[in-house]
């Protein structure tokens, strides 16, 4: 076979018999390597991923004083790389059901857009912060436990956050032992002071407390949005997250 040389020859090698043997062995080695490859391939979330016939999911109930009927929020997950060390659950779609038809159109729009973002892949946890920051101009409401919800959208965001925590997509910053101990101490001191001061019977006090889990009269903490802020020694102290502001 004739080869036309169009460029200048800058160097050369003499092909030795062992080089020929090596190049003959190389194509044989290639298929072996590609056979190994699928094992190491990790499937990530992307939009062309086909929906499997069956998905696993959870349904959460939201009861808000702003809505006549309860909302049922279903988040379905896809399990990627099942059975491998890279196995992970990723949210794939969201549905919201309610008897209430007043909000039908924006709920449908919201769920379709959230589902589309889920399927795009990448970091989808930002949705939680975006939604939790939405406030209703007519005013929010308190949930059981004294947590303030600025809107129904924020509560749906809260549900998605809860779901992402369950499947391990969001990790709760663990409250360290010293903070927990400090809160417990502050709480004990506050309750001791309240009991000593007030002649109110203890029975009614525990009753009112059980509604939110925090002392009656506690105000809203700006840091954790929970009605757990009490005044102690001239300092506003949150009995939920430990936030404290003096003066
Ligand atoms: Zn707080």
């Amino acid at each position: 076979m004739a080869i036309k040389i169009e460029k200048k020859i800058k160097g050369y090698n003499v092909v030795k018999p062992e080089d020929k043997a090596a190049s003959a062995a190389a194509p044989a080695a290639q298929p072996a390597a590609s056979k190994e490859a699928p094992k190491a391939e990790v499937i990530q979330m992307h939009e062309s991923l086909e929906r499997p016939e069956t998905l696993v999911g959870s349904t959460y109930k939201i009861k808000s004083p702003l809505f006549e009927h309860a909302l049922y929020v279903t988040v379905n997950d896809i399990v990627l790389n099942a059975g491998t060390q890279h196995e992970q659950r990723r949210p794939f779609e969201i549905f919201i059901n309610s008897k209430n038809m007043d909000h039908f159109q924006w709920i449908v729009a919201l769920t379709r857009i959230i589902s589309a973002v889920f399927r795009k892949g990448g970091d989808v946890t930002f949705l939680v912060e975006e939604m939790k920051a939405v406030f209703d101009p007519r005013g929010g409401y308190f949930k059981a436990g004294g947590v303030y919800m600025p809107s129904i959208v924020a509560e749906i965001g809260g549900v998605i956050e809860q779901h992402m925590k369950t499947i391990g997509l969001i990790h709760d910053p663990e409250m360290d032992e010293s903070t927990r101990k400090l809160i417990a101490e502050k709480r004990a001191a506050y309750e001791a002071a309240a009991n000593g001061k007030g002649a109110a019977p203890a029975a009614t006090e525990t009753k009112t407390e059980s509604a939110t889990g925090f002392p009656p009269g506690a105000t809203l903490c700006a840091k954790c949005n929970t009605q757990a802020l009490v005044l102690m020694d001239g300092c506003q102290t949150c009995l939920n997250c430990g936030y404290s502001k003096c003066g």
Side-chain angles (χ1 to χ4, degrees), residues 16-198:
K16 292 179 207 126
E18 53 260 42
D19 291 339
K20 270 189 184 166
S23 67
Q30 217 93 50
S34 63
K35 235 183 249 170
E36 293 283 318
K39 236 189 236 172
E41 194 187 321
V42 179
I43 299 166
Q44 299 288 356
M45 197 71 185
H46 57 86
E47 55 191 317
S48 54
L49 211 63
E50 220 168 281
R51 186 195 190 281
E53 286 291 310
T54 317
L55 291 175
V56 282
S58 308
T59 302
Y60 304 83
K61 183 180 177 181
I62 294 178
K63 192 78 198 85
S64 156
L66 301 179
F67 266 52
E68 195 190 339
H69 299 287
L71 289 180
Y72 295 89
V73 182
T74 302
V75 186
N76 285 336
D77 305 322
I78 187 168
V79 181
L80 298 173
N81 312 299
T84 71
Q85 56 166 330
H86 301 287
E87 181 172 318
Q88 57 168 340
R89 270 175 80 160
R90 292 286 313 243
F92 192 84
E93 59 196 10
I94 183 169
F95 302 106
I96 299 177
N97 281 300
S98 179
K99 264 194 219 167
N100 194 337
M101 278 287 156
D102 299 348
H103 302 272
F104 186 75
Q105 61 168 336
W106 70 255
I107 284 179
V108 168
L110 186 72
T111 53
R112 285 187 187 172
I113 290 166
I114 294 173
S115 298
V117 172
F118 282 165
R119 288 186 210 123
K120 276 271 183 192
D123 185 10
V124 293
T125 57
F126 73 94
L127 281 172
V128 170
E129 292 313 312
E130 292 284 351
M131 291 176 79
K132 280 170 77 182
V134 173
F135 79 96
D136 191 332
R138 292 174 301 171
Y141 53 94
F142 281 99
K143 280 203 331 168
V147 180
Y148 182 72
M149 275 299 151
S151 67
I152 193 84
V153 174
E155 184 150 10
I156 296 168
V159 160
I160 296 174
E161 181 179 38
Q162 189 191 336
H163 184 78
M164 285 178 171
K165 278 178 184 170
T166 318
I167 64 171
L169 214 55
I170 295 179
H171 299 283
D172 233 344
E174 194 65 28
M175 198 187 279
D176 58 68
E177 201 50 52
S178 58
T179 313
R180 209 173 295 156
K181 209 173 141 203
L182 187 81
I183 293 171
E185 275 170 14
K186 293 251 185 198
R187 183 165 194 159
Y190 180 83
E191 276 164 8
N195 284 344
K197 220 190 294 163

Side-chain angles (χ1 to χ4, degrees), residues 142 146-149 217-229 236 238 243:
F142 281 99
V147 180
Y148 182 72
M149 275 299 151
T219 53
L220 192 66
C221 166
K223 198 180 163 200
C224 65
N225 263 359
T226 306
Q227 231 172 352
L229 207 61
Q236 296 271 18
C238 176
Y243 166 84

